[in-house]
Amino acid sequence: MAGSNYLWLIPFFPLLSATLLMVTAGQLPKKIIGFLGAGSIALSALCVALQAQHFLASGEIMQVTLWTWMSVANFAPGIAFYIDGLSIVMMSVITGVGFLIHLYSLEFMDDDSSYSRYFAYMNLFVAAMLLLVMADNLLLLYLGWEGVGVCSYLLVGFWYRDPANGKAARKAFVVTRVGDAAMALGLFLLFTELGSLDIQTLLLAADSKWQSGDLIPTIATALLLGGAVGKSAQLPLHTWLPDAMAGPTPVSALIHAATMVTAGVYLIARHYSLFLLAPITLEAVAWIGLATLLIAAFTALAQQDIKRILAYSTISQIGYMFLALGVGAFSAGIFHLMTHAFFKALLFLAAGAVIHCLHHEHNIFKMGGLRTRLPIVFWSFLIGSAALAALPFTSGFYSKDPILLSAWAMPNIGSYLWAGGLLGALLTAIYSFRLVFVVFFGEAKTLPNKQPGWKMSLPLALLCLLSIIGGWFVLPLDHVFPAYSHGEINHSVEIISIATPLIGLAIAYGLFLGKQLSISGFTQSTLGKALQSFCFSGWRFDALYQLLWVCPYQVLAQLWRNEPIDYLYRGIVSLMQWSNEQLSKLQSGELRWYATSMVFGLVILVLIMLRSLS
Amino acid sequence: MNGLQIPLEHVLIIASFMFSFGLLGLMLRRNIIFMLMSLEVMLNAAALAFVAAGAKWAQADGQIIFLLILSVAAAEVAVGLGLVLQIQRRFKTLDMDTAKRMRG
Amino acid sequence: MSLALLLGILLAGGLVAWLSERWHKDLPRWLSLVTIGLALLQLVSSLNVLAPDSFTLVPDGRDASSWLIHYQLAWIPRFGISFELAMDGLSLLLVLLTLLLGLVAVASSWTEIDFKPGFFQANLLWTLAGVCGVFLALDLLLFFLFWEVMLIPMYLLIAIWGHENKAYAAMKFFIFTQVSGLLMLLSIITLAWQGYVHNGYYSFSYFDLLALPLDSTLAYCLMLGFFIAFVVKLPAFPVHTWLPDAHTQAPTAGSVLLAGILLKTGAYGLMRFSIPLFPEASMQFAHIAMSLGAAGVIYGAVLAFAQSDFKRLVAYSSVSHMGFVLLGLYAWNSLAMQGAVMQMLAHGVSTAALFMMAGALQQRLHTRNMFKMGGLWYYMPRMGACALFFAVASLGLPGLGNFVAEFLILVGLFAVSPVMTAIATLGLITAAVYSLWMMQQTFQGKTQLATKTTASLQDFGGREMFTMAAMMLALLWLGLYPQPVLDLAQPVIDSLQALVTISPQIAEASL
């Protein structure tokens, strides 16, 4: 069951299950729905495992074309797959973590009336995500790209009866669509210049056609970056992700933490050789990553909603991945993508368990003391936070450390990037342990009304394991990316990088648990309050965009609502009516007026005749 | 029968004056009887011009046309007076401005 | 002969359906179905006798005998007017679309029409006949005749069976189309006269009038005559204002036909007549036409978002989508033209479905105001799912026909004008805004309806689900395996391109 002939099975199972669930429209018994929903992902994961084993054994890059999608002139993208080490890593994460989240969902969504719809969307998402990472051409990738976008829209707005959820879903879709539009333009440019959308062909052609620093690859990569920024919630298109937490928590874990939001990272990594031709864009990637990770980390510090904290931390962590890509450490970026998928999925699922067991409470300050009451969840959260904060020997440590060191090794700007990343790491440690200390320690404010069952506990346990040992995985990326070494690094730099999260942990302890430190004097001051509300609102990006884009668009729509163009035609109609009125006045019925006008008419005619005679 | 005794221009001037007065009458009077009379004056002006021209060139055509005009005028008076009777009967007035029905 | 028979079946079927209402009021719709079915059969059987490879041969645009089917009968020989019908891959696709959407239109009006059902079906069939005639006629005067034939029954459909403001909408539709049609007639007659001057005999045949050596100013004016007639029908910015009114007021079947196929006659006309008859003039004009297209894309999308009436929203989305067609046609390369053909088909299906949805909503709720709906998914999940499908189709989700169309258009256009492409790409964002807004206002959120209404709501039944499912499958097929359609259209596009050897870029450079 391994080899390129069986590749189609991988996206096929989730797609089939999604179709079945949609067509039956909730008429199936619940057991079968669950069986289909989670089972299809399990089958898919099994296929991926077989393929991965085959790939690792043979190292053979698999390519298969199922059919030619469309063929016009020289434009002939296929429904075709290209599987190398990078795809294998992505597929494993998607189906592996995906399966655990589906398993968890079986219990989490148990009392929801739209059980079937939920699994249909989730399966559809997995299928689209798989297509995205398996695609051998940009058009199929774009199909997956938009497909996951729509599924994200559907799942964020899953509880559609609350208009707020619908708004969040629309925001998520439209904001990412802005990036997608840029990406589409990039596709047009690449095809027009290179004559193919086939990724490998395109990269080769680009290498031979362009020199590093040329204008066209810079524009093309900038446009692709637009797409990546939108999907991966980076500055300036990151505002949708915190709102997207309106969806069910497993959705946040799967889509808005582990898989979809990292698609941008995948896109850049997949086209790394194109980005190498555009050093300006690549540097922009690094700076975007840095800015995003800092802004998001600061924002996370001020949040109170458990899911929003995690959402901002996701944005921040993807910022690290962008930073890695930007400094050319592609493997490190993908490695962090994988470990992040593990520990962030773990954190979200644990948060979901807290919410599930605590009457759908989201505010962390109404929780507390859950350490003893929800022990499994506590340990999951602790391990996840440790990995997120990159404490030594967790998977996060092994993936974040190389990023910081690679940033340091960057010529000219390296030390700035490193320092920024380090500050981010410090903040990460603070906000993640703030979460742990506030939610699980201290006095209990709300008591849990149930305990997670095995379907929720098992995925938590497995993800805990992955979050710890994930750092030792060796990814088959050697043949994908050029060999990268950051060379000799000063030992003090390494030590500072390792020590920073521990300092952050200590600060968090001092602030939120031991109470040795107090910043209440600062937070109560006017400046402190202003700063806090500034961070709480996510640096006012929403307000800014509301002012810049949303309001003008709405005003424009309202102005145009009654069709300004039609006034032109209505004007013509009015003119006709007016002239009709004027002319009909001539038909007064007065005999004398008729006679008079006839005389004058004759006089004029005679005059004209005389003129023409002379 | 050796042509016209007085200059043709004089006759034509009289004819055009008659025509103009007739026309003015038609345009200014509101009573339909006066309008009919004005019409007659105009017809007669035309007829006068024809007769004078016929005499000037010693041709019979002018007189023939005069006879035609005479009969047309007679027919017109017959029809016109009939209409006047009808109008009087319907509108109880001979003022054409109050009797207008054809409005656009 | 077979093509004439096809038109004859539709015209006669209409007459029979009209008469049949005397016996039973359900009879006309069944007869209507049977008639369209017969016409389809007739089409298929006339294709069956053709050699399989004739579909892939590139027809010579100037030689009638190289087309799939050609039929000519003298009509007014003194002026060289004949009853000339011909079919190539493009007409075949569009006639097929016409007949299939005809079925949809009948299905969507199944329970809606109580008043004079026979005359309704007759008008419906006559519209179909007119549209098929437009797609098949190659004598310019005959083309004009069919252009009018499709107009009048459509006018009656709106004026008799429309909604509250039907008289105004029908009159607006009629005047816009008629005035622009007269401009076209003027152009046709002048063109034929030029043909007489040049050839020494009168002819209105497409083949005789192609490649006439015309004075460039005259050609430009004549081209404008055709162009205006076609873009009014398309409709393109800024002559689109009849469309929202007509669509909103028309009965469901009327909207389905209007959006699904009548708009396509405009695009077809541009592709078949306006551009090939006046290649240089058209290509000099291309940048203006493309600007209109791009303006339409954005303008339509913004206005769609501003609407509160479901049908009006869909109508404006049509303006936006047809803007893409205009862009694709004037880019005049294989990719963009294939995209334009694809857009005609995909938009025909997706918009027809949305109008059917609007009709179903109106029938159930007696309103089209979206602010009075909301949360309908809960009561009618099947309907909601269908609406969702066609909403995402209309915003251009990959895997569905509209995406293939828009992508091909844009990728082809990019080679000609990157700026226009960038503007049109904004349409992808705005399309998402209005499509999702529509879903939110109707099917999601809290319901604004009275409990009495919601209690009696009925989800889609078998007939409606069957129609919807068929259209969904069609869009999926167009989106995932459009090759058969592309293959059918490719020879036609090649032959059209052989007629127009100049590209818009060159034309612009020479200005």
Side-chain angles (χ1 to χ4, degrees):
Chain A
M1 286 287 279
S4 54
N5 286 341
Y6 297 102
L7 278 177
W8 62 273
L9 284 172
I10 298 172
F12 174 74
F13 285 122
L15 199 59
L16 179 72
S17 158
T19 316
L20 280 177
L21 289 173
M22 280 176 193
V23 170
T24 53
Q27 304 298 312
L28 293 173
K30 218 164 182 177
K31 264 223 160 100
I32 296 183
I33 294 172
F35 189 72
L36 269 175
S40 61
I41 308 295
L43 275 177
S44 190
L46 193 68
C47 291
V48 171
L50 290 171
Q51 297 285 7
Q53 193 202 13
H54 175 73
F55 176 80
L56 290 178
S58 66
E60 163 204 16
I61 289 173
M62 286 175 277
Q63 257 182 307
V64 63
T65 302
L66 296 186
W67 71 84
T68 306
W69 191 351
M70 55 188 106
S71 159
V72 181
N74 58 341
F75 182 72
I79 303 284
F81 302 137
Y82 174 89
I83 308 297
D84 61 359
L86 179 57
S87 315
I88 289 279
V89 172
M90 295 298 293
M91 285 152 65
S92 311
V93 170
I94 294 162
T95 54
V97 176
F99 170 66
L100 293 178
I101 293 172
H102 274 75
L103 189 62
Y104 177 96
S105 304
L106 288 179
E107 187 179 329
F108 189 88
M109 299 298 288
D110 194 42
D111 49 0
D112 199 285
S113 57
S114 300
Y115 201 62
S116 165
R117 190 160 60 91
Y118 174 81
F119 280 103
Y121 291 167
M122 285 290 264
N123 286 348
L124 191 63
F125 169 79
V126 172
M129 191 69 208
L130 283 168
L131 285 177
L132 197 166
V133 298
M134 292 168 77
D136 101 316
N137 60 67
L138 271 167
L139 199 66
L140 186 61
L141 188 148
Y142 194 74
L143 185 148
W145 191 270
E146 291 285 307
V148 291
V150 164
C151 292
S152 158
Y153 161 77
L154 293 172
L155 284 162
V156 171
F158 181 74
W159 289 310
Y160 57 85
R161 298 188 80 181
D162 182 356
N165 295 346
K167 190 163 182 231
R170 283 205 313 283
K171 183 175 174 187
F173 192 82
V174 173
V175 173
T176 50
R177 200 99 213 264
V178 174
D180 296 355
M183 180 176 163
L185 274 176
L187 261 57
F188 305 147
L189 177 61
L190 285 173
F191 176 75
T192 310
E193 290 294 324
L194 301 173
S196 174
L197 281 183
D198 192 75
I199 294 171
Q200 301 306 319
T201 323
L202 178 150
L203 292 178
L204 280 178
D207 265 339
S208 59
K209 187 171 176 183
W210 292 321
Q211 296 295 314
S212 173
D214 278 357
L215 181 64
I216 293 175
T218 309
I219 298 174
T221 47
L223 289 168
L224 288 186
L225 176 62
V229 159
K231 209 63 143 193
S232 290
Q234 298 293 291
L235 276 179
L237 298 178
H238 64 288
T239 54
W240 62 271
L241 188 61
D243 288 350
M245 295 298 124
T249 311
V251 170
S252 312
L254 178 62
I255 301 183
H256 304 120
T259 54
M260 184 186 88
V261 286
T262 57
V265 179
Y266 170 79
L267 182 75
I268 295 177
R270 177 53 87 200
H271 297 89
Y272 77 93
S273 67
L274 195 62
F275 278 81
L276 287 178
L277 291 174
I280 300 174
T281 321
L282 207 55
E283 199 180 316
V285 173
W287 284 113
I288 287 176
L290 185 67
T292 312
L293 81 87
L294 284 175
I295 289 180
F298 273 116
T299 312
L301 269 178
Q303 300 301 312
Q304 296 173 349
D305 180 323
I306 185 167
K307 285 183 74 181
R308 280 181 89 88
I309 297 175
L310 291 178
Y312 277 109
S313 98
T314 305
I315 298 177
S316 174
Q317 294 305 307
I318 299 170
Y320 276 105
M321 297 175 210
F322 268 61
L323 179 62
L325 297 173
V327 300
F330 301 107
S331 309
I334 297 296
F335 193 49
H336 194 55
L337 186 159
M338 182 193 74
T339 58
H340 173 257
F342 296 151
F343 62 72
K344 191 50 67 65
L346 172 64
L347 280 170
F348 264 115
L349 293 188
V354 171
I355 295 167
H356 185 67
C357 300
L358 227 61
H359 321 279
H360 299 282
E361 181 55 62
H362 279 235
N363 190 338
I364 55 170
F365 291 106
K366 292 185 181 163
M367 301 171 182
L370 294 174
R371 178 167 43 108
T372 48
R373 291 183 175 83
L374 295 170
I376 302 171
V377 180
F378 166 64
W379 283 106
S380 312
F381 221 101
L382 192 65
I383 292 169
S385 296
L388 172 61
L391 296 187
F393 310 114
T394 59
S395 60
F397 169 74
Y398 289 105
S399 60
K400 199 184 273 178
D401 205 40
I403 296 179
L404 289 175
L405 296 183
S406 314
W408 171 263
M410 191 78 173
N412 301 329
I413 53 171
S415 47
Y416 300 109
L417 296 177
W418 176 75
L422 211 58
L423 177 60
L426 182 74
L427 294 170
T428 310
I430 299 177
Y431 70 68
S432 46
F433 279 98
R434 166 180 178 251
L435 194 55
V436 173
F437 293 146
V438 170
V439 173
F440 291 98
F441 291 84
E443 54 173 314
K445 289 168 190 144
T446 316
L447 290 179
N449 62 344
K450 50 188 154 187
Q451 288 289 325
W454 73 268
K455 285 180 204 153
M456 277 165 89
S457 308
L458 182 65
L460 286 177
L462 286 172
L463 283 170
C464 280
L465 188 66
L466 285 170
S467 298
I468 296 170
I469 64 163
W472 288 294
F473 288 175
V474 180
L475 300 185
L477 296 175
D478 296 343
H479 299 286
V480 182
F481 301 121
Y484 177 85
S485 155
H486 43 62
E488 246 343 83
I489 299 272
N490 197 332
H491 276 298
S492 57
V493 170
E494 281 189 46
I495 290 167
I496 295 174
S497 305
I498 295 170
T500 308
L502 295 171
I503 300 170
L505 170 61
I507 294 175
Y509 181 85
L511 279 175
F512 301 105
L513 198 59
K515 306 284 184 195
Q516 289 91 343
L517 296 170
S518 170
I519 48 164
S520 59
F522 175 67
T523 50
Q524 294 307 314
S525 68
T526 329
L527 178 70
K529 272 185 182 165
L531 212 60
Q532 208 175 9
S533 99
F534 183 66
C535 279
F536 182 73
S537 67
W539 294 42
R540 302 250 188 276
F541 270 102
D542 279 331
L544 180 70
Y545 290 167
Q546 188 75 23
L547 199 70
L548 270 184
W549 308 112
V550 181
C551 287
Y553 193 76
Q554 282 170 336
V555 168
L556 189 69
Q558 281 309 312
L559 276 182
W560 284 358
R561 189 179 143 73
N562 291 327
E563 189 62 282
I565 300 292
D566 212 26
Y567 287 121
L568 179 69
Y569 300 111
R570 279 183 229 162
I572 296 176
V573 172
S574 309
L575 189 70
M576 290 294 169
Q577 279 171 343
W578 178 80
S579 47
N580 170 279
E581 268 166 36
Q582 298 309 311
L583 287 172
S584 66
K585 276 185 190 154
L586 297 179
Q587 296 283 335
S588 61
E590 283 177 37
L591 206 51
R592 298 185 305 129
W593 160 246
Y594 293 160
T596 315
S597 53
M598 189 181 86
V599 168
F600 278 102
L602 278 173
V603 168
I604 290 167
L605 271 181
V606 167
L607 283 178
I608 291 173
M609 274 168 67
L610 286 178
R611 237 187 121 82
S612 62
L613 279 180
S614 59
Chain B
M1 297 295 271
N2 50 353
L4 196 59
Q5 299 300 310
I6 48 173
L8 178 64
E9 288 77 13
H10 294 193
V11 184
L12 285 184
I13 287 168
I14 289 177
S16 52
F17 270 109
M18 278 172 72
F19 189 85
S20 303
F21 286 129
L23 196 59
L24 274 175
L26 183 73
M27 293 196 289
L28 297 178
R29 298 306 297 242
R30 291 194 288 188
N31 191 311
I32 187 157
I33 294 185
F34 281 96
M35 290 167 85
L36 278 174
M37 283 164 68
S38 302
L39 267 180
E40 292 297 314
V41 173
M42 286 161 74
L43 280 172
N44 283 334
L48 182 62
F50 272 115
V51 171
K56 161 94 180 168
W57 284 293
Q59 297 275 338
D61 302 5
Q63 285 163 20
I64 294 168
I65 294 292
F66 174 71
L67 287 177
L68 184 70
I69 291 176
L70 210 63
S71 47
V72 167
E76 186 221 303
V77 167
V79 176
L81 287 178
L83 279 172
V84 169
L85 280 178
Q86 283 299 320
I87 288 168
Q88 170 66 28
R89 200 170 286 167
R90 290 243 174 127
F91 298 99
K92 307 292 180 218
T93 175
L94 288 179
D95 183 342
M96 289 320 286
D97 281 5
T98 43
K100 63 188 174 188
R101 275 259 176 109
M102 295 203 308
R103 295 216 50 175
Chain C
M1 188 62 212
S2 57
L3 298 179
L5 201 61
L6 175 77
L7 299 176
I9 289 174
L10 290 171
L11 288 172
L15 203 61
V16 174
W18 186 7
L19 295 176
S20 72
E21 82 181 353
R22 296 159 184 235
W23 289 292
H24 196 278
K25 73 179 185 53
D26 291 347
L27 205 53
R29 59 193 193 206
W30 282 109
L31 279 172
S32 203
L33 275 188
V34 170
T35 309
I36 301 173
L38 274 178
L40 269 172
L41 262 178
Q42 163 65 18
L43 184 66
V44 172
S45 69
S46 60
L47 291 175
N48 261 344
V49 296
L50 298 172
D53 65 340
S54 59
F55 291 99
T56 54
L57 286 179
V58 177
D60 180 352
R62 294 199 182 84
D63 177 15
S65 59
S66 67
W67 289 41
L68 288 179
I69 303 175
H70 179 248
Y71 173 72
Q72 192 165 16
L73 189 73
W75 180 20
I76 312 175
R78 191 173 155 197
F79 293 111
I81 299 170
S82 61
F83 190 81
E84 184 177 24
L85 301 174
M87 182 156 78
D88 61 4
L90 178 64
S91 343
L92 171 61
L93 282 173
L94 290 169
V95 169
L96 264 178
L97 177 78
T98 307
L99 294 177
L100 292 175
L101 283 184
L103 290 176
V104 172
V106 175
S108 66
S109 63
W110 201 252
T111 53
E112 190 185 272
I113 302 300
D114 281 331
F115 178 70
K116 287 187 187 281
F119 192 46
F120 179 85
Q121 299 293 351
N123 278 314
L124 211 147
L125 288 172
W126 291 337
T127 310
L128 290 182
V131 175
C132 286
V134 163
F135 289 143
L136 295 172
L138 277 191
D139 184 281
L140 262 62
L141 211 77
L142 186 69
F143 175 77
F144 180 77
L145 179 86
F146 281 122
W147 191 261
E148 297 293 307
V149 166
M150 78 183 173
L151 171 62
I152 292 162
M154 187 38 107
Y155 167 79
L156 291 176
L157 280 179
I158 301 174
I160 301 179
W161 291 275
H163 302 307
E164 61 283 350
N165 204 3
K166 55 194 177 187
Y168 171 73
M171 192 49 84
K172 199 169 178 181
F173 164 69
F174 191 85
I175 290 176
F176 264 87
T177 325
Q178 191 66 357
V179 170
S180 59
L182 287 177
L183 284 178
M184 177 167 75
L185 181 63
L186 211 63
S187 286
I188 290 176
I189 291 170
T190 319
L191 187 68
W193 170 249
Q194 289 294 318
Y196 175 72
V197 170
H198 183 253
N199 295 335
Y201 58 90
Y202 279 112
S203 170
F204 280 82
S205 171
Y206 178 66
F207 301 104
D208 290 327
L209 296 178
L210 274 173
L212 275 183
L214 293 171
D215 172 58
S216 66
T217 320
L218 180 68
Y220 205 86
C221 295
L222 295 184
M223 183 276 297
L224 276 182
F226 278 90
F227 180 79
I228 291 172
F230 294 139
V231 291
V232 164
K233 202 73 170 200
L234 190 60
F237 177 86
V239 282
H240 62 276
T241 61
W242 62 270
L243 177 110
D245 287 312
H247 270 314
T248 312
Q249 299 304 329
T252 308
S255 302
V256 168
L257 288 189
L258 258 180
I261 49 180
L262 255 74
L263 304 190
K264 277 66 196 178
T265 57
Y268 171 84
L270 286 173
M271 198 165 170
R272 174 79 79 209
F273 296 106
S274 184
I275 299 178
L277 285 175
F278 315 102
E280 280 90 5
S282 290
M283 289 302 131
Q284 274 170 18
F285 186 69
H287 58 287
I288 299 178
M290 284 194 276
S291 314
L292 291 181
V297 168
I298 302 295
Y299 188 80
V302 173
L303 263 88
F305 172 67
Q307 302 308 315
S308 55
D309 183 319
F310 191 101
K311 271 184 144 179
R312 249 184 128 75
L313 189 155
V314 182
Y316 277 113
S317 82
S318 292
V319 175
S320 182
H321 287 141
M322 297 317 276
F324 278 105
V325 174
L326 197 58
L327 282 168
L329 287 181
Y330 277 85
W332 203 252
N333 55 35
S334 288
L335 282 165
M337 285 171 77
Q338 282 284 19
V341 174
M342 205 64 198
Q343 179 81 329
M344 291 190 220
L345 303 178
H347 172 265
V349 176
S350 69
T351 311
L354 281 174
F355 275 120
M356 197 172 156
M357 189 71 66
L361 282 174
Q362 170 144 32
Q363 214 177 3
R364 286 166 173 78
L365 308 173
H366 308 290
T367 179
R368 299 187 304 271
N369 188 342
M370 292 190 293
F371 291 101
K372 293 184 181 161
M373 300 178 187
L376 293 177
W377 190 301
Y378 183 76
Y379 307 102
M380 301 184 285
R382 281 202 290 272
M383 202 167 170
C386 295
L388 180 69
F389 183 93
F390 292 108
V392 296
S394 130
L395 68 81
L397 182 73
L400 303 176
N402 306 54
F403 168 75
V404 174
E406 280 164 22
F407 196 90
L408 284 174
I409 290 174
L410 291 174
V411 85
L413 182 65
F414 194 89
V416 179
S417 169
V419 179
M420 291 289 171
T421 318
I423 297 172
T425 308
L426 288 180
L428 295 181
I429 304 170
T430 47
V433 175
Y434 68 72
S435 301
L436 300 184
W437 174 247
M438 179 189 87
M439 276 311 287
Q440 177 69 33
Q441 287 306 315
T442 48
F443 288 96
Q444 297 167 344
K446 289 198 173 61
T447 185
Q448 308 293 324
L449 296 164
T451 358
K452 204 171 65 183
T453 326
T454 53
S456 62
L457 283 179
Q458 275 192 326
D459 206 352
F460 270 164
R463 168 179 59 86
E464 284 154 319
M465 273 319 280
F466 178 76
T467 324
M468 285 288 167
M471 289 195 276
M472 286 184 196
L473 286 178
L475 278 184
L476 274 170
W477 174 60
L478 288 177
L480 289 174
Y481 189 58
Q483 204 56 40
V485 172
L486 299 176
D487 284 343
L488 208 51
Q490 190 60 48
V492 183
I493 287 169
D494 288 343
S495 90
L496 286 173
Q497 286 193 311
L499 294 174
V500 182
T501 46
I502 180 172
S503 85
Q505 264 171 330
I506 301 168
E508 205 157 333
S510 72
L511 268 178

